[in-house]
Amino acid sequence: MIKFPGFRGYRCACYPVEPARPSPRNAGFRGCRYARDTVMFLSFTDTDAVLRNRVKSWEDESVDNRELWASLGMDLGKHDEFLAPLPGAYTNLFLERSRRPRAMSYFDAVVGDIHGIRVKELVAAKENGHKVFATFCVYVPEEIIVAAGSACIGLCAGAQYTVPAAEKVLPRNLCPLIKSAMGFKLERICPYFQVADWVIGETTCDGKKKAWEILNDYVPTYVMELPQKKRVQDNAFWEEEVREFAAFVEKETEVKLTKDNLAEGIAKINRKRAALKRLAALRQASPAPIHGLDVLVINQLAFFDDPERFASRVELLCTELEERVAQNEGVAPPEAPRILITGTPQPIPFWKIHALIEQAGGVVVGEETCTGERYYRDLTEPASNKDGMLVNIARRPLNVNCACFTPNAGRVKDILSLADNLRVDGVIDFTLQFCQPYGVESHTVAKELEKREIPHLRLESDFSEEDQGQLKTRIEAFLEMLK
């Protein structure tokens, strides 16, 4: 039985069994032979010249990520312990699967050096006078950050390993997403936390609102207040909040936002979202041209990778998948149950639910989540001047139907639309434990799915492996019912 992050008790085939920590040379997990081979593959294929040169530099100079991590003040012992199982788990869940698209090799390489490649770029950017803003939510307007020449990155979460540390300052009966992220900072395990100049929080739930106050003791934290309704006055309130954020970014970066740089920032982020939309549309095909688990890791990496490079790699993957669709090739049999996942986000490296579904013979064809459709569905509309651009930047995220809003009928419409367009056989409504907004809203979701006689299953879990057997049994029974 596969064990998932936090991976407690997992024995990684790519590291010696007895030592709890990997060799110091296993930076990220580039020491894993599969990840190393993938990086070498990238350096000899049609990768863009910049990335090819970077890979060659890393290989030729034997860059040691540990020196980088030490310079960021990370706890190397705990970091080693956390990363140790990841190569074996990733190999098992991803690399050993058959019929994976060739273009997935790029994303495998990024995961293979998840705490190295991008972190080096961010450190270099800071050395050149740029800022790094770490965000936790799809409502933060990354277009503004990119327009100012800064980097917008996600935060580490999705692992049980850091939860105990967070429970020293947070209640145990709190969302594991908040606890995991807090623990990464308290334990000094996440290089993205360490390299960030600012964390940008938001008020999508009460747990986050209060957690930001504590996090601010460890890293400067700016909080955007999100309205709880979508009336005209709420839209005006959010627009003003976005303007204040733009002024904050200008002050911190010492870069004045203009029509030109805002247009460039919008274009970069729109391209990334458009590439993900193209990928999502290809999942309508039967048989499915790509595993849902592979798409999940792509969506997770969208919050970390350079936006332009990431978009080009997703576009390359889509071209390959379009060829598969034209040839009626897939990764699962046409009769495999097609599943839509809805509910709470699933940050890297949380792959448990997708993996259990696809190991049981289903195929995940869509996600109505923040690590899915909510992130990329809508693009920011263009405008002819700076003021219009800020208005449109504010408008786009209010189309996202998070459970923090009331009423939230739009989310049910989104789920039903996806179920229809993706021709799903069933919906799995997944909620992280103690997530009150999505937990309560599960009742409404279930009621509407029942009205339309769409089979559905409600699951609740955290980032641990303790309930894996129970989840496996319930998922297998659900899929069997769909056949």
Side-chain angles (χ1 to χ4, degrees), residues 80 88 143 161 166-167 184 201 293 341 480 482-483:
D80 287 349
E143 297 93 338
Y161 182 87
E167 289 178 345
F184 269 110
L293 192 57
I341 291 181
E480 186 63 31
L482 298 177
K483 294 179 181 178

Short mmCIF file of all heavy atoms in Angstrom, two decimals, residues 80 88 143 161 166-167 184 201 293 341 480 482-483:
data_model
loop_
_atom_site.label_atom_id
_atom_site.label_comp_id
_atom_site.label_asym_id
_atom_site.label_seq_id
_atom_site.Cartn_x
_atom_site.Cartn_y
_atom_site.Cartn_z
N ASP A 80 15.91 17.75 5.33
CA ASP A 80 16.32 16.46 4.79
C ASP A 80 15.30 15.38 5.13
O ASP A 80 14.93 14.55 4.30
CB ASP A 80 17.69 16.05 5.36
CG ASP A 80 18.84 16.87 4.79
OD1 ASP A 80 18.61 17.59 3.81
OD2 ASP A 80 19.95 16.77 5.33
N GLY A 88 10.86 8.46 -3.80
CA GLY A 88 10.21 7.16 -3.94
C GLY A 88 8.74 7.30 -4.18
O GLY A 88 8.15 6.58 -5.00
N GLU A 143 -1.06 39.66 -11.18
CA GLU A 143 -0.73 40.54 -12.30
C GLU A 143 -0.01 41.80 -11.83
O GLU A 143 0.92 42.29 -12.48
CB GLU A 143 -2.00 40.95 -13.06
CG GLU A 143 -2.76 39.81 -13.70
CD GLU A 143 -3.85 39.23 -12.82
OE1 GLU A 143 -3.76 39.41 -11.57
OE2 GLU A 143 -4.78 38.62 -13.36
N TYR A 161 3.75 16.48 7.81
CA TYR A 161 5.01 16.54 8.56
C TYR A 161 5.12 17.78 9.44
O TYR A 161 5.65 17.72 10.56
CB TYR A 161 6.18 16.49 7.56
CG TYR A 161 7.55 16.50 8.19
CD1 TYR A 161 8.17 15.32 8.59
CD2 TYR A 161 8.24 17.70 8.39
CE1 TYR A 161 9.43 15.32 9.17
CE2 TYR A 161 9.49 17.72 8.97
CZ TYR A 161 10.08 16.52 9.35
OH TYR A 161 11.32 16.54 9.93
N ALA A 166 2.96 23.35 14.05
CA ALA A 166 1.96 24.41 14.00
C ALA A 166 0.97 24.31 15.16
O ALA A 166 0.47 25.34 15.64
CB ALA A 166 1.21 24.36 12.67
N GLU A 167 0.70 23.10 15.61
CA GLU A 167 -0.27 22.92 16.70
C GLU A 167 0.26 23.42 18.04
O GLU A 167 -0.49 23.46 19.02
CB GLU A 167 -0.67 21.44 16.79
CG GLU A 167 -1.56 21.02 15.61
CD GLU A 167 -1.94 19.56 15.64
OE1 GLU A 167 -1.29 18.80 16.41
OE2 GLU A 167 -2.88 19.17 14.92
N PHE A 184 5.51 24.88 8.24
CA PHE A 184 6.66 25.01 7.34
C PHE A 184 7.49 26.24 7.71
O PHE A 184 8.72 26.21 7.64
CB PHE A 184 6.19 25.12 5.89
CG PHE A 184 6.08 23.80 5.18
CD1 PHE A 184 4.84 23.28 4.86
CD2 PHE A 184 7.20 23.08 4.84
CE1 PHE A 184 4.72 22.06 4.21
CE2 PHE A 184 7.11 21.87 4.19
CZ PHE A 184 5.86 21.35 3.87
N GLY A 201 -1.63 37.60 2.53
CA GLY A 201 -2.75 36.80 2.99
C GLY A 201 -4.07 37.41 2.55
O GLY A 201 -4.11 38.47 1.90
N LEU A 293 -3.97 12.83 -12.11
CA LEU A 293 -2.88 13.07 -11.17
C LEU A 293 -1.78 13.92 -11.80
O LEU A 293 -1.19 14.78 -11.14
CB LEU A 293 -2.31 11.72 -10.69
CG LEU A 293 -1.35 11.75 -9.50
CD1 LEU A 293 -1.99 12.41 -8.29
CD2 LEU A 293 -0.91 10.33 -9.15
N ILE A 341 -13.68 16.18 -9.30
CA ILE A 341 -13.43 16.47 -7.89
C ILE A 341 -13.80 17.92 -7.61
O ILE A 341 -13.43 18.82 -8.37
CB ILE A 341 -11.96 16.21 -7.51
CG1 ILE A 341 -11.66 14.71 -7.56
CG2 ILE A 341 -11.65 16.76 -6.12
CD1 ILE A 341 -10.23 14.35 -7.18
N GLU A 480 -17.18 1.18 -8.29
CA GLU A 480 -17.86 -0.06 -8.67
C GLU A 480 -19.34 0.21 -8.95
O GLU A 480 -19.92 -0.36 -9.88
CB GLU A 480 -17.71 -1.09 -7.56
CG GLU A 480 -18.26 -2.47 -7.91
CD GLU A 480 -17.54 -3.12 -9.07
OE1 GLU A 480 -16.33 -2.86 -9.27
OE2 GLU A 480 -18.21 -3.89 -9.82
N LEU A 482 -20.51 2.87 -10.17
CA LEU A 482 -20.64 3.63 -11.41
C LEU A 482 -20.51 2.76 -12.65
O LEU A 482 -20.93 3.16 -13.74
CB LEU A 482 -19.59 4.75 -11.46
CG LEU A 482 -19.67 5.82 -10.37
CD1 LEU A 482 -18.52 6.80 -10.53
CD2 LEU A 482 -21.01 6.53 -10.41
N LYS A 483 -19.90 1.59 -12.50
CA LYS A 483 -19.64 0.74 -13.67
C LYS A 483 -20.91 0.08 -14.16
O LYS A 483 -21.81 -0.22 -13.42
CB LYS A 483 -18.58 -0.32 -13.30
CG LYS A 483 -17.21 0.30 -13.01
CD LYS A 483 -16.20 -0.76 -12.64
CE LYS A 483 -14.84 -0.14 -12.33
NZ LYS A 483 -13.84 -1.16 -11.93
#
